[in-house]
Amino acid sequence: QVPLVESGGGSVQPGGSLRLSCTASGYGYWGWFRQAPGKEREGVAAIDYVHRTAYADSVKGRFTISRDIAKSTLYLQMNSLKPEDTAMYYCAADRRGSRPRLAPNEYTYWGQGTQVTVSS
């Protein structure tokens, strides 16, 4: 399998936007997760091989997960960012499953993470 490599993190003011990318091919299920200091890793968005999606309530309407098959790339478009979105963001993937899911323990393969900081 191809290692997962995230990119696109950075610093942005509240209300701003960022798009995260993750090279990810050879899997059937993908997810974006985040972990803030002192907090547990949480699922943000997930997508499967037929493009069904799932989102955490905290990001619904603001974040969009998508996948470009030709580029073997997973994206997370983040709009209307808030300070509480500040965290290390990880992409994850797995070959097995029946639906897109947000539980970290249901994914086998992980990227190294990219930092997102939302601050004025």
Side-chain angles (χ1 to χ4, degrees), residues 33-102:
F33 297 81
R34 65 187 181 188
Q35 188 166 18
K39 295 187 176 181
E40 294 186 354
R41 190 169 297 188
E42 63 174 353
V44 174
I47 190 169
D48 68 7
Y49 65 98
V50 291
H51 298 271
R52 292 179 298 183
T53 58
Y55 294 93
D57 289 343
S58 59
V59 306
K60 281 181 181 177
R62 300 189 299 123
F63 290 11
T64 302
I65 189 171
S66 62
R67 190 167 66 90
D68 187 322
I69 298 174
K71 296 181 179 179
S72 298
T73 302
L74 179 72
Y75 299 102
L76 184 69
Q77 178 66 43
M78 304 185 295
N79 299 328
S80 302
L81 282 161
K82 304 175 181 180
E84 51 264 43
D85 294 318
T86 295
M88 185 72 78
Y89 282 70
Y90 300 88
C91 69
D94 209 290
R95 294 191 182 89
R96 298 174 295 177
S98 59
R99 53 178 172 75
R101 60 265 190 192
L102 298 175

